Structure formats: C-alpha cells, structure tokens
Amino acid sequence: MLTHLSLKQFAVVTGADLEFGPGLTVISGETGAGKSLLVDALGLLSGLRADSGVVRHGAERAELAADFDLADAASARDWLREAELDDEDEAGTCRIRRVIRADGGSKAWINGRPATIAQLTELAGRLVEIHGQHEHQALLSRTSQLALLDAFGRTDAERAAVARAASAWSELLRERERLSAQGDVSDRIDWLQHQLEELDREDLEPESLEALQVDHRRFGHATALIAACDNAFARLGGDDGPSISRVLGQVRTELARASEHEPRLGEVDGMLDLATIQVDEALAALDRVRSDLDIDPDTFERLERRLARVHELARKHRLPPDHLSTRRDAIRVELDELRGAGERLERLDDEIARAQAAWREAADVLGTARRRAAGSLASSTTELIGELGMGGGTFDVAFEPNAGDRPDPQGGERVEFMVSANPGQPPRPLRKVASGGELARISLAIEVASLGLDAVPTMIFDEVDTGIGGAVAHIVGQKLRALGVHRQVLCVTHLPQVAAQGHSHYRVMKSKSEGVTQSEVRALAPAEREEELARMLGGVELTREARAAAKRLLQDVV
C-alpha cells in the first residue's frame, strides 16, 4: 500500500508531501491545476521514460519518492529479497526514489540502493496498477489477463498440477534430444572401449602409482644404497678395525674400573648403555634394509617399462598420472550410458507419450476451470459495464489454443479480454479500445467484478469518469468505494458524485506567484470537502443550493 508520496520541483509543483491510507482517496481540482501530476509522478516512479520537461522551470532537477507498506504485497517482498534490495531494518516497507535532471538524465534508487529503470518497472508492477492510459494499463497485457482470470477462478491447485506435468514432460524431452544428438555412437563406443582396455592394463590407483615411484627410485640407486649400508655397518659394528660398538664397550669397561672412586661415573655408564642399545638397533635396521636391496637388472627394467607406460597414458590423456584413475572411471560410466542409449531411447518414447498425456489431462482440467470462471467474470463485468454508462456494452473472455507441441506450464490456452463498448459493435481486444475514458471504466468494471484479485495492492484510476455524469457518476463512485474495501484506490476525478465517495480527499490548487504558475496539493478536512464538492457542483460561485447538494452527497455515502 502506498503510504507517502513526495514531489519536489516537479512540473508546476514546487514541493508536496502526501500521506495515503487504505480505502478510496480522491483527487480533485480545477481544470489545468495539475490533478494528474500525482499519477504522472507514480508513473515515473514505476519506470516510465522521463524527459527534462517534467523538471520545474528554473530548477536543476525534479525529485520524486514513494513509500510503500509491504504487508499486502508478498510478491514485492519476494522480489526485493531475491534482488538483494530489501531493507533488513525495515523489511515491511519499501522506498522508491527517482531524480530527473534538467538535462534529461535520471537516476533511481530502491531502499537507498542504486537501481535500474528495468528494476523500477519490475518492482512497481507488483505495487501499483495505473488505469486510464494505454501504456500504463497492466490489464492490457494478456499475461496479466490470464493471471487475473486464474485468481478469479481460484485455480491455484490446477495450475500447480499443470506446471508439474509440464516440468516432467520437458525433462524427458531434453533427455531424448541429448541422446538423439549423439547420432551413431558405435565408433565412439569402440574408441572408448580401446581407451578403457589400455587404462585397465595398469594399476592406476594413486597409492599404487606412489609405490611404483618409490620402488623405481630405490632400484635405480641400488648400488649406491648397498655401498652406503655396508660402509655404515662396518663403521658402527664391524669386527675389523675400530667401530663405534667396540669403542663404546671399551669405554664402559674402563669407566667401570674407576667408578668405585667416583660414583657419578655410574651416570655416565648409564648414558653409554643407552647409546649402545641405540647403535645395536641401528645396526639391525641397516641389516634389514641391506637384505631388501638387490641389484637385479630385470626387476629394474620391469619397473622402468611400467613407469614409461604410465607416463605415456598421462601424455595421451593430457592428465597428471594420479588423475588417470578418475579418467578411467569416467570412460566406464560414459560407455555404460552409450551402450544403453538405444534401449533408453525406446523407453523414452513411451515415457514421453505418458507425460504428454498427463500434461494434457491436467491442462484440460485447468481449461475447464478457466472457462467456468470466464463465464462468471464476463457476466458480472458486462452487468457492471452497463451500470457505468455503456449500456449495451459487453465483456467476454476469448480462448485461443497454444501453438506448438512443447509443454507449457501455463496450460493449453491463452486468453484475451474482449470488449464491445456500444450495442451492435463486434467485440475487440481490450488492448485495442481507443477511448481512454471507456478503457478506464471497463478496467474498473473488471476490477470490481474480480474484487481486485490480481494482487496488486494499489490501483490508480485517472479520469475514470470522463464523459459521464448524473446517476452513472454516482454508480462509478460507489464501485470505486467498494473496490477500496479490498484494495487501496486513488482516483483523479472532476465529478462531485465520485469525489463524495472517497474515504479521504486531496485538492490540487493552481496559483501564480511573481508571474510563475504553481500548484499546491492539500488534504481536505470534512468542512473543506463540502466546500470543494460545492465548487465542483456550482463552479466559481458557491451558492446555497450548491452547498446543500454537496452536503447531501456526503450524507448519502454508505
């Protein structure tokens, strides 16, 4: 719901801050005072193209801002969250701001963050619906018409069933297209089989390849390793010549003889005992390593050949050796898929036929519900069109089957709202109705008949009462007020019968200051409303009769 609208240096308005509440708000004023400026401002905040002509003469820029309460706008809340333009501190509100410069440029913000005009359009489409101008009219869109009809018929369950069936059918079609695009896969199967056989000849698991590298390095340096082990064994514990073991034994013997005179030498002997144990363990480890070493040319050559084969496979597949096992597994999976492709294609044809039948069944159920809703909506709207001064006019909903054989999540048909404004005229699409006044009244009739089920929280009717008067004007006002029970409604009007039905009332007044025309927008108190209605009834001169009639209009409001 629109809660606040701010205008600065906009057209003939120097500055205005307007507060809005629920129900019907009417806006009146003298001809040329700028009543429709509020509608124009909301249109620009909705993403309409702007030019420098909207900037007040002599000003550098015009500034427009609108605040919305999102309690009744779930779709807008979801959009803001997905676009990451929501305000965490005030999640239940939204502020749209736009600045238009005198040079024609403009900038826009949503909740204080820079936004594109396309984003303004998407968000405003979920918040505001402007009736009366072709380019603003959401009901002219066939997509919006279908959405309104579905809302009127409460077809949520049927539409969900169609969407699920369409998704299942589409997935099967994509799978068939992917398999069919492969064509004759026999050559690829042979090629992949050859690759798999090459890879399967080797143990390519990463731990096996690591062990291969270690064995190859050990055998490649076997001679040097044997020499190093023999030399170390001789120096640590050899029988010929001095060795560490023999030296440690001799030292301990000599210290044992002297330790009776110096007890602390016992500690030294304990350390040497530990050293002797460590040397003995080192000798045992050397013996184990030496026994594993073998200068075997055949074994080394076998390791060389295996390592060469692994590196050749890595070059062939352009992968590091430790990634070959992953490539082998991927080839095996693809081979299994290709070998089963023919059988899968045969099964897919049956599955697709069943999915198509399921979609058609769900679409038929939805189509039946839509036609039932269309009859009721057409009857109610036609009756309201007659009440709104277009006697003999009719409203109908035309159905057109969807072209093509692809699954459509929206169902099996499209709809078009058809209107005949005068008796004897053939129905034409609503989007081709030429008269702005007729279009506004027809839109009003549709909205009232559907009780605002299109989910847009704020509806604006610009000059909806053009070309009518008397009893019809009174009925238009009543319908607008009734619509205001379900939606926030703003109406620019020049008829007192319509203005009297408002829950609140703004007047736009024009004045001149130092030769410059400017407009002022002001909320009217109850007494001021009576004066404004009298002016609308009697013109410049406010007679006693005009005031009495204005008072009666306000008293007759139910």
Side-chain angles (χ1 to χ4, degrees):
M1 180 181 74
L2 176 67
T3 59
H4 181 261
L5 180 64
S6 174
L7 314 178
K8 294 181 181 179
Q9 306 298 340
F10 180 62
V12 293
V13 177
T14 303
D17 286 284
L18 312 178
E19 301 293 333
F20 297 94
L24 170 63
T25 297
V26 294
I27 302 163
S28 64
E30 297 177 0
T31 302
K35 297 188 298 294
S36 293
L37 283 179
L38 302 184
V39 179
D40 295 339
L42 287 169
L44 290 169
L45 287 168
S46 300
L48 290 183
R49 184 176 179 179
D51 58 57
S52 59
V54 302
V55 181
R56 181 174 170 78
H57 179 70
E60 294 182 357
R61 64 187 185 186
E63 296 187 27
L64 310 172
D67 295 328
F68 293 89
D69 185 332
L70 302 181
D72 54 359
S75 176
R77 291 198 305 272
D78 294 341
W79 185 91
L80 287 166
R81 184 172 56 254
E82 292 172 4
E84 298 182 347
L85 289 169
D86 52 335
D87 191 331
E88 294 182 358
D89 296 331
E90 298 184 38
T93 63
C94 171
R95 182 176 178 83
I96 300 176
R97 179 171 173 257
R98 190 171 181 184
V99 171
I100 302 157
R101 299 192 304 272
D103 62 7
S106 73
K107 292 182 179 180
W109 295 263
I110 297 175
N111 285 332
R113 299 177 181 89
T116 65
I117 298 302
Q119 287 176 317
L120 282 192
T121 302
E122 288 185 35
L123 175 58
R126 293 163 167 79
L127 293 170
V128 176
E129 188 173 283
I130 301 177
H131 296 259
Q133 300 294 328
H134 286 260
E135 62 269 28
H136 302 169
Q137 175 56 280
L139 277 179
L140 298 180
S141 162
R142 297 185 69 178
T143 300
S144 296
Q145 293 172 3
L146 183 63
L148 188 145
L149 179 63
D150 281 335
F152 182 81
R154 293 176 172 82
T155 61
D156 291 353
E158 292 86 349
R159 285 190 297 114
V162 170
R164 288 193 299 270
S167 178
W169 184 11
S170 296
E171 183 61 33
L172 293 171
L173 288 175
R174 284 192 293 269
E175 184 180 358
R176 184 174 66 180
E177 290 170 357
R178 179 174 58 82
L179 293 177
S180 299
Q182 295 174 345
D184 185 0
V185 295
S186 58
D187 290 342
R188 182 162 180 80
I189 289 176
D190 292 342
W191 182 68
L192 289 174
Q193 182 62 42
H194 173 70
Q195 286 193 320
L196 183 60
E197 290 172 355
E198 283 186 330
L199 293 169
D200 276 341
R201 292 191 193 107
E202 303 295 334
D203 186 353
L204 298 175
E205 299 305 322
E207 56 272 16
S208 176
L209 295 180
E210 184 178 356
L212 173 61
Q213 293 282 358
V214 171
D215 290 345
H216 181 263
R217 286 195 300 269
R218 185 171 65 248
F219 273 87
H221 298 83
T223 301
L225 290 171
I226 289 173
C229 288
D230 289 343
N231 185 47
F233 196 92
R235 296 179 69 180
L236 287 174
D239 295 330
D240 299 330
S243 67
I244 291 177
S245 290
R246 294 177 63 188
V247 170
L248 286 173
Q250 293 172 357
V251 171
R252 291 188 65 196
T253 300
E254 294 174 1
L255 290 177
R257 288 195 294 267
S259 63
E260 59 179 309
H261 306 297
E262 175 52 74
R264 287 178 297 177
L265 291 178
E267 296 179 9
V268 176
D269 182 65
M271 297 177 187
L272 293 175
D273 184 40
L274 291 175
T276 300
I277 294 173
Q278 292 292 322
V279 170
D280 289 343
E281 291 180 355
L283 287 169
L286 275 172
D287 185 57
R288 289 193 299 272
V289 172
R290 175 63 182 82
S291 63
D292 289 340
L293 294 173
D294 186 13
I295 304 177
D296 183 358
D298 292 338
T299 300
F300 182 62
E301 184 178 355
R302 186 173 67 254
L303 291 172
E304 284 264 274
R305 288 197 300 269
R306 185 185 169 200
L307 191 61
R309 290 196 299 271
V310 169
H311 283 293
E312 177 62 25
L313 288 171
R315 285 192 296 272
K316 183 175 182 178
H317 291 275
R318 298 179 181 179
L319 293 170
D322 57 353
H323 288 185
L324 286 172
S325 62
T326 302
R327 173 61 179 156
R328 176 202 61 206
D329 296 341
I331 289 175
R332 183 172 286 114
V333 169
E334 185 179 355
L335 266 173
D336 290 341
E337 290 179 351
L338 291 176
R339 285 167 177 158
E343 296 177 2
R344 178 58 182 155
L345 277 172
E346 292 179 3
R347 293 197 304 272
L348 272 174
D349 288 338
D350 293 336
E351 291 181 20
I352 288 172
R354 289 195 297 271
Q356 182 179 9
W359 176 87
R360 173 51 60 192
E361 181 179 355
D364 288 345
V365 171
L366 175 59
T368 300
R370 282 173 170 168
R371 284 173 171 80
R372 185 167 54 248
S376 178
L377 179 63
S379 175
S380 299
T381 304
T382 297
E383 181 180 349
L384 286 165
I385 286 175
E387 293 180 18
L388 295 177
M390 290 180 285
T394 60
F395 173 87
D396 199 3
V397 181
F399 286 80
E400 177 184 342
N402 285 337
D405 56 354
R406 305 295 295 184
D408 191 328
Q410 296 296 322
E413 61 277 315
R414 288 290 177 265
V415 302
E416 179 90 64
F417 286 178
M418 307 292 288
V419 173
S420 172
N422 298 295
Q425 290 185 347
R428 291 191 302 152
L430 178 63
R431 54 192 166 87
K432 295 183 179 179
V433 173
S435 167
E438 287 180 346
L439 176 61
R441 274 178 280 158
I442 292 168
S443 299
L444 172 61
I446 295 170
E447 293 294 349
V448 172
S450 62
L451 296 178
L453 286 173
D454 55 359
V456 178
T458 299
M459 297 179 180
I460 301 170
F461 292 89
D462 185 14
E463 301 287 356
V464 68
D465 46 19
T466 299
I468 63 174
V472 173
H474 184 70
I475 293 172
V476 168
Q478 288 181 325
K479 299 304 181 185
L480 285 168
R481 189 177 179 91
L483 185 59
V485 175
H486 304 274
R487 291 288 185 272
Q488 182 188 44
V489 180
L490 277 65
C491 178
V492 176
T493 181
H494 66 277
L495 293 180
Q497 295 93 332
V498 174
Q501 296 291 330
H503 296 94
S504 57
H505 192 154
Y506 276 98
R507 180 184 178 187
V508 182
M509 294 170 287
K510 182 172 62 174
S511 62
K512 284 189 178 182
S513 177
E514 298 179 357
V516 178
T517 300
Q518 60 182 8
S519 292
E520 177 188 1
V521 186
R522 188 160 59 88
L524 300 181
E528 293 174 315
R529 286 193 69 185
E530 187 174 311
E531 288 291 301
E532 173 64 5
L533 293 180
R535 181 199 63 78
M536 298 171 74
L537 284 163
V540 177
E541 184 178 353
L542 300 183
T543 64
R544 180 184 304 172
E545 291 77 6
R547 285 190 172 91
K551 187 174 184 178
R552 268 196 314 274
L553 284 176
L554 291 172
Q555 290 174 342
D556 290 342
V557 173
V558 179

